[in-house]
Amino acid sequence: MKVTIKGYTGVAVWKWVANDDTCGICRMPFDSCCNDCKYPGDDCPLVWGQCSHCFHMHCIMKWVNGNQKSNQSCPMCRQAWKIKEK
Amino acid sequence: MAQRLQKELANFMRDPIPGMSLDRNLVEGNLNVWVINVDGAPNTLYEGEIFKLQFKFPQRYPFDSPSVMFIGNKIPEHPHIYSNGHICLSILTDEWSPALSVQSVCLSIVSMLSSCKAKSRPPDDERYVQTCRDPSDPKKTRWFFHDDSV
C-alpha cells in the first residue's frame, strides 16, 4: 500500500521541568501562572535558587523585595536566596 | 491573595487538623477573617477546654504574615500566650515565610499547647497587656524571642 501524506497539523505541548508541581508561594501549579499574570510560560517564568527551590519569578521577587530582613531567604528552607544562573 | 486563601480554605476543609474546626458563620462573606475553634488535645493540660483562634489576613498575604491571636473569654494559660490573646511565636512575625499557611501555623500552635508542662502566663503578662501597642493586633508589637523550650 502506498500512502501519500497531503498535509498534517503539528501539535506540541510544553511543561516546566521543576522538582515540584506547585509554587510554594502562590500555590498555583507551575504550569499555570502566578496570581498577577494571565498567561503561563515565558510571560510568567520560573526561577531556581542555589538551594534548588523553585518559584514563579514574580512570586519570589515580591517576597525578596519586601522590606523585612528575613525576606532575603528562601521561603522553603530559609537559606539565603540567590538565583541559580543556568 | 483571594485565590490563595480560597485554596487554603479548601485544604483546611478537606484535610482538617485534629481538634480544629472552622467557625463557618464567620468565614462566609469575609474571607479575610477566620475564626477557628480549637479543642484542647486529649492527654494534654488543655483537654476539655475550648478556645477560639482568630486569623486576620493583610492585603499583601502571603507576603505579609497574618495577625493571629486567641479571642473570646477563654485564653489558654500558657507561658507564651498573654492573657489578652496575643501569642509569642516567631513564625508569626520575624520568621514568617510565604510558604507557611493557616494549616502550618495551626500545627505550630497545637504543638505549642500540647508540649506545655505547666500552665502559667508569661512573666511580663501584666505589663504587656497594659502597654502593648494595639490589643486587637499583635503584629503592632515588637516581639523578642528568648525561649525555645516550650
Side-chain angles (χ1 to χ4, degrees), chain A residues 24-29 35 58-59 62-63 66 68-70 74-76 78, chain B residues 1 3-4 7-8 60 62-64 91 93-101:
Chain A
I25 297 176
C26 67
R27 309 292 159 93
M28 296 297 286
N35 292 330
H58 300 143
C59 294
K62 266 201 250 172
W63 171 241
Q68 282 176 304
K69 69 172 193 292
S70 65
C74 170
M76 303 300 266
R78 301 187 193 277
Chain B
M1 165 191 145
Q3 269 190 8
R4 194 182 126 151
K7 285 189 182 225
E8 289 206 45
R60 271 177 43 87
F63 299 98
D64 287 342
I91 58 164
T93 49
D94 295 19
E95 291 183 27
W96 170 253
S97 145
L100 293 171
S101 62

Side-chain angles (χ1 to χ4, degrees), chain B:
Chain B
M1 165 191 145
Q3 269 190 8
R4 194 182 126 151
L5 273 179
Q6 289 284 6
K7 285 189 182 225
E8 289 206 45
L9 188 62
N11 281 344
F12 198 92
M13 298 302 208
R14 197 183 50 223
D15 234 345
I17 294 169
M20 291 199 161
S21 60
L22 206 59
D23 203 313
R24 274 181 174 243
N25 298 330
L26 287 152
V27 173
E28 280 163 22
N30 183 7
L31 204 55
N32 298 335
V33 183
W34 297 19
V35 174
I36 292 170
N37 297 314
V38 181
D39 295 336
N43 303 317
T44 69
L45 295 179
Y46 304 95
E47 177 166 1
E49 297 182 59
I50 297 172
F51 309 108
K52 281 189 186 293
L53 187 64
Q54 174 187 266
F55 279 71
K56 279 190 178 169
F57 299 95
Q59 199 58 45
R60 271 177 43 87
Y61 181 80
F63 299 98
D64 287 342
S65 62
S67 288
V68 183
M69 61 184 285
F70 284 98
I71 56 168
N73 49 16
K74 197 89 179 67
I75 306 293
E77 192 182 350
H78 183 284
H80 292 173
I81 301 174
Y82 289 92
S83 50
N84 64 358
H86 291 198
I87 307 166
C88 183
L89 182 64
S90 60
I91 58 164
L92 295 179
T93 49
D94 295 19
E95 291 183 27
W96 170 253
S97 145
L100 293 171
S101 62
V102 174
Q103 266 164 311
S104 56
V105 169
C106 282
L107 268 179
S108 290
I109 290 173
V110 169
S111 85
M112 183 173 131
L113 289 177
S114 298
S115 64
C116 182
K117 297 278 189 293
K119 285 186 179 180
S120 70
R121 288 289 175 210
D124 58 340
D125 187 53
E126 200 176 329
R127 184 174 52 89
Y128 175 73
V129 169
Q130 281 171 11
T131 60
C132 71
R133 289 192 196 159
D134 184 348
S136 67
D137 187 2
K139 281 185 69 186
K140 300 270 168 60
T141 299
R142 203 169 135 61
W143 292 94
F144 293 91
F145 306 102
H146 31 63
D147 175 12
D148 294 333
S149 64
V150 186

Side-chain angles (χ1 to χ4, degrees), chain A residues 45-65 71-75 79-86:
Chain A
L46 308 192
V47 286
W48 282 259
Q50 287 179 6
C51 57
S52 86
H53 290 115
C54 172
F55 305 94
H56 288 119
M57 183 180 75
H58 300 143
C59 294
I60 190 69
M61 285 307 159
K62 266 201 250 172
W63 171 241
V64 171
N65 293 336
N71 291 8
Q72 300 306 316
S73 60
C74 170
Q79 294 184 62
W81 175 260
K82 292 208 180 72
I83 288 177
K84 186 157 131 194
E85 314 285 347
K86 284 227 170 178

Side-chain angles (χ1 to χ4, degrees), chain A residues 15-32:
Chain A
K15 69 193 274 26
W16 291 104
V17 181
N19 39 12
D20 209 347
D21 294 335
T22 49
C23 173
I25 297 176
C26 67
R27 309 292 159 93
M28 296 297 286
F30 281 135
D31 291 333
S32 170

